[in-house]
Amino acid sequence: MYSNTLGSLEEDKKLEEMQRAWQSRKSLSSSIFNEIPGSEDVLGLNQKKQSPKPLKTHDDLDIKKSNKRELICKFEQFKKIVTPTEKRQQTSLALDASELGDFPARYVICSLKEYQFPVVGIYCDPRVITGFKYRVRPLPKVGEDSTKNKCIFNNRALTLTSIGRGYARRFTFEADKNKLNDNDNYFWSDNRPEGFAFEIEVVSEGDKFTIFDLNHEAQGTLEILNTEGYQIELSNNVTGKGIEKKIQVKFIGKVEFYETGVAKPIPVSGTAICVKGKGNNKAGIVKIIDVLIKKRKYVLRPGVDTTKRRVTVRGSDIKDVPTKYTMTGLKSYEIPVVGTYVDPRIMPGFYYRVRPNDRKSHLFNGKTLRLLNIGMGYAKRLTFESESKIENNNYLWSDNHPDGLGLEPRALHEGMKFKVTAGGQVLGEASVFRTDNPQIEEKMEKIPTKDGKFAIQKYIHVDVICHVWLTTPGRCSTESEQYLMRVCGLAVVRKEPNSINSRVLRVEKIGLDSELEILFRQSNYELVFIP
């Protein structure tokens, strides 16, 4: 008895739901019946094609349980017919060019995503502006997903350079570097009756930024490793500076804070403010605001400003006087010396270039000198080699410059000669011609020797220009071909326990800026330069 009462209440509730849905769809049903085959059979109206009478509630009719179930089944079938039709009507978007002050042309395209701008025929969304970068995606037929087709121009985001006039507008994008005089990156807006979708892009992989806190002090650097999702335009305004867009961005960034010196990939999101100034052909990012990193807000500004780089050193970390210094402007490859602090990586016997942190020029006329000695005390005296054996003026104290010093380690010098070897065979010779690029110390090791002492061994990245002579197979050993090429590698420099001078053991992991690099890689032989 109790279960029958519950079943009756459930059926009554379904009837009430059917009554409300019927009244809301009453106006729609009359237009759908003529288009949907079999709809009259479902509702039992195919005999006289009379319009259905309004259903009464269960208070006015004493309907049997069997009739209730039958009406409910018909109502469920009716929902299956009507619902897909309504969904189809929501997948299209009507565009009217007259609303933009253009010709009164009307188009129907598939419904766009929130990050897409439509272009079809003579209709061009006003948010599509020259100077900004876009990906262009051909739209499919109405009713299909607007992201079905792949983007043109090899899925690249290119800067829009011009929008033509007339009934069919020509959209021209920046040319490829190898086709400056033969630009193929263009199309006409009426090339496809389905139209095109423009997707804006303001940040890309490889872009670098400087991280500032809310006090406008630089805290570190960030490099975009990978963009995530789509970049959504939030606003488009004309200001005194030009056209300003605000775009929501998300990406994975390699974040390196000056305080730690450790780079880590971190997911980052924010709002990029991009401005195309008056008279400029390209828009640029001014800053990215509302950036949250480790639960703190920051602002990103484009570019890496080395003059803002800060390094904090503590004497207590090297068991010295417990002092603390913060240096601003030190290069990433320079080793700090300031006040009573001398970095433990600075060792006598190795070669360095010395630069005061408050200037661009180096001391000692920019020469690379061998460090002879590091004195004791609060202010350490650093003495370098000198041409004069009677009076050595190449020295300084660690506290000479309040802003500190930066010492760049140097492994290779102009005029050094090496044998070019591969697989144990000598292939030719190399002579160092230019050493303009910085040389970066990767690590330093203490290696025990047979007498119980330790040798100091450093691994330094080098990037130099060399004259290379390679012996041609089938010719005499004295006959060779000369090349001038860029050589990158890892120099291994060692100082023995009882020696006052370091020496280069070899240069390994060689990379050549030449077609010869391909030949050596195919032969599976690793090039090694040996002094």
Side-chain angles (χ1 to χ4, degrees), residues 416-451:
M416 294 182 70
K417 297 184 181 297
F418 297 89
K419 294 180 181 179
V420 182
T421 65
Q425 297 182 352
V426 178
L427 303 181
E429 294 182 355
S431 175
V432 179
F433 176 59
R434 297 287 295 270
T435 60
D436 299 331
N437 293 326
Q439 301 183 21
I440 307 170
E441 181 175 326
E442 182 183 275
K443 62 179 179 179
M444 181 179 71
E445 295 178 341
K446 286 186 176 182
I447 301 176
T449 58
K450 295 180 180 180
D451 56 0

Side-chain angles (χ1 to χ4, degrees), residues 24-266:
S24 62
R25 300 174 188 267
K26 183 178 178 182
S27 59
L28 177 66
S29 62
S30 59
S31 60
I32 294 177
F33 287 153
N34 296 328
E35 300 177 5
I36 302 176
S39 60
E40 295 178 349
D41 294 334
V42 173
L43 296 177
L45 303 175
N46 60 341
Q47 295 179 359
K48 296 183 180 180
K49 296 186 179 180
Q50 298 177 354
S51 59
K53 297 180 180 180
L55 293 177
K56 298 180 180 180
T57 61
H58 65 283
D59 295 330
D60 300 329
L61 296 175
D62 186 13
I63 305 174
K64 295 182 179 180
K65 294 181 180 180
S66 59
N67 293 337
K68 290 181 181 179
R69 295 192 184 97
E70 183 180 355
L71 286 173
I72 291 171
C73 291
K74 289 183 179 181
F75 173 66
E76 295 294 336
Q77 293 177 7
F78 175 72
K79 285 200 301 183
K80 292 179 181 179
I81 295 174
V82 175
T83 303
T85 305
E86 291 179 342
K87 289 182 178 178
R88 284 196 296 271
Q89 292 176 348
Q90 295 173 357
T91 56
S92 62
L93 177 65
L95 303 175
D96 189 351
S98 63
E99 296 178 355
L100 304 179
D102 212 323
F103 294 99
R106 296 182 178 181
Y107 307 92
V108 177
I109 62 175
C110 61
S111 184
L112 300 180
K113 307 294 184 183
E114 58 180 344
Y115 54 85
Q116 294 178 329
F117 311 140
V119 169
V120 55
I122 64 172
Y123 185 95
C124 176
D125 193 290
R127 293 171 293 181
V128 177
I129 300 173
T130 58
F132 291 88
K133 294 175 67 174
Y134 298 94
R135 275 191 174 86
V136 182
R137 190 184 300 273
L139 289 173
K141 296 180 180 179
V142 175
E144 298 178 346
D145 189 358
S146 62
T147 60
K148 177 182 178 181
N149 298 329
K150 294 182 178 180
C151 295
I152 60 177
F153 307 135
N154 296 324
N155 199 37
R156 294 176 299 165
L158 300 178
T159 302
L160 180 62
T161 57
S162 67
I163 301 176
R165 296 183 178 183
Y167 291 100
R169 281 76 192 273
R170 170 169 165 156
F171 287 78
T172 307
F173 293 79
E174 61 180 332
D176 298 329
K177 292 183 179 180
N178 57 345
K179 291 187 177 182
L180 295 177
N181 298 323
D182 186 18
N183 187 8
D184 296 330
N185 299 331
Y186 65 89
F187 64 89
W188 276 270
S189 57
D190 63 348
N191 280 154
R192 289 178 57 86
E194 297 85 4
F196 300 87
F198 280 55
E199 302 170 3
I200 194 168
E201 180 177 298
V202 293
V203 295
S204 308
E205 296 179 7
D207 291 349
K208 296 182 179 181
F209 299 87
T210 301
I211 304 173
F212 289 85
D213 60 13
L214 299 182
N215 294 324
H216 308 290
E217 293 185 0
Q219 300 295 327
T221 60
L222 181 146
E223 179 181 357
I224 296 180
L225 301 178
N226 186 28
T227 57
E228 290 193 334
Y230 297 95
Q231 301 175 28
I232 303 173
E233 182 171 319
L234 304 177
S235 65
N236 179 29
N237 301 311
V238 179
T239 64
K241 298 180 180 179
I243 300 175
E244 179 183 281
K245 288 179 179 285
K246 292 184 178 180
I247 297 96
Q248 179 181 333
V249 295
K250 294 181 181 179
F251 52 85
I252 300 295
K254 184 174 70 173
V255 178
E256 179 181 355
F257 285 102
Y258 297 145
E259 196 73 23
T260 61
V262 179
K264 293 182 179 180
I266 297 176

